[in-house]
Amino acid sequence: MHELPLVFFTVLGQSAVGLFLLAFISHRLKLSDWDQLKRANLLAFILMAIGLLCSMFHLGQLFRMFNMLEGVGRSPMSNEIVLGGAFIGLAFCTLFFFYVKKSAALATLFNVLTIAVGLVFVWAMTQVYQLATVASWNTSHTAWQMWATVLVGGGACALLAGVRKLGGIALLVGALLSLLVKPDYLRFVTETDPSLAGMQSTLWAVQALCLALGVAAAAVAIVKSESAKATLALCACGVIVGELLSRIAFYNLWAVAL
């Protein structure tokens, strides 16, 4: 699948933004400590780095990325690239002041900047894919799926990083909302392109199962503070797999309207 690098780039990038946001809020609410914040930010940085590395395979050649920068301000894809670079750059600065030149004030400042740019980065992603020329993408469901991954993927990764309470809440809310809006989305894509939609049914079914698993894991994380870490980690990984499969289905719906 030619778009597979973009699957990892978008899902991991959106999950990283969600993790940065949830970990910071959790720490400010005193639901997690400084070490958990550091650990969560490190995991978020790794996720984004992997996502960016994957995106390079889609571009094929590194210099193509620099050519695309010429459209900054008028091209959604160019904006996405610049904001993605700014996001990981600020994330690196955050980690630098967490782990190397230790400064709580500067780490917090860059943490806030990372989150702010990250949220704009996700918004830029939604603009790339809401295209009138691709009927199955020309819907508010496109943007919703990506923002849902911020909650679902970010929440799942927060569980992995030990930010259990707020991570569980985000995962629970995101998963339930995703399951609630899924029937309307499936109706839309089936009416738009029945043949392509029919070929994605297995992927969507597996994602729904993964979301249900996420709901269970989130409920356990919220209610039981001492629940088995290995089980939660397995469930969280399952949720991420579900998001990846759903994004594969999304890219499989690509068809230019004639």
Side-chain angles (χ1 to χ4, degrees):
M1 178 185 176
H2 180 63
E3 291 81 13
L4 194 58
L6 293 180
V7 170
F8 283 93
F9 171 66
T10 55
V11 170
L12 296 183
Q14 290 152 17
S15 297
V17 172
L19 179 52
F20 267 113
L21 177 63
L22 293 171
F24 182 79
I25 294 175
S26 178
H27 179 258
R28 301 302 288 183
L29 294 177
K30 302 187 185 304
L31 297 175
S32 54
D33 58 31
W34 186 252
D35 287 336
Q36 288 172 319
L37 176 62
K38 289 169 60 177
R39 186 164 59 247
N41 283 355
L42 178 59
L43 175 58
F45 177 82
I46 292 171
L47 290 173
M48 185 59 193
I50 294 172
L52 277 178
L53 181 62
C54 290
S55 71
M56 299 298 180
F57 289 97
H58 178 74
L59 291 171
Q61 296 177 347
L62 184 59
F63 71 84
R64 290 183 182 177
M65 179 181 71
F66 297 105
N67 291 338
M68 295 177 70
L69 297 181
E70 297 176 359
V72 172
R74 53 186 172 79
S75 166
M77 189 171 294
S78 297
N79 295 339
E80 177 193 43
I81 291 173
V82 169
L83 288 165
F87 174 58
I88 196 167
L90 289 168
F92 177 82
C93 292
T94 302
L95 293 179
F96 179 80
F97 289 112
F98 266 131
Y99 288 99
V100 183
K101 189 74 173 179
K102 296 181 180 180
S103 169
L106 288 174
T108 300
L109 172 62
F110 278 100
N111 204 170
V112 171
L113 291 174
T114 300
I115 293 167
V117 171
L119 292 172
V120 180
F121 170 51
V122 175
W123 171 82
M125 284 188 190
T126 68
Q127 302 306 297
V128 171
Y129 295 103
Q130 285 190 276
L131 302 173
T133 53
V134 182
S136 297
W137 292 358
N138 190 27
T139 168
S140 59
H141 284 289
T142 294
W144 159 247
Q145 287 183 70
M146 297 188 176
W147 286 112
T149 300
V150 173
L151 282 176
V152 174
C157 291
L159 292 183
L160 290 174
V163 183
R164 297 163 62 99
K165 186 71 71 175
L166 196 58
I169 292 172
L171 175 54
L172 181 64
V173 171
L176 287 175
L177 287 175
S178 293
L179 289 170
L180 284 173
V181 303
K182 183 65 73 176
D184 186 61
Y185 173 64
L186 296 182
R187 178 193 58 77
F188 169 77
V189 295
T190 300
E191 291 176 355
T192 303
D193 196 324
S195 60
L196 279 179
M199 290 187 282
Q200 316 312 317
S201 57
T202 300
L203 295 175
W204 285 324
V206 174
Q207 187 219 10
L209 289 174
C210 290
L211 286 173
L213 185 67
V215 169
V220 170
I222 294 169
V223 175
K224 294 185 177 182
S225 59
E226 298 299 327
S227 51
K229 293 181 180 180
T231 302
L232 280 181
L234 184 62
C235 292
C237 290
V239 169
I240 298 298
V241 170
E243 291 302 293
L244 291 169
L245 293 177
S246 176
R247 197 58 52 85
I248 289 173
F250 172 80
Y251 281 107
N252 284 345
L253 293 173
W254 184 86
V256 177
L258 299 177

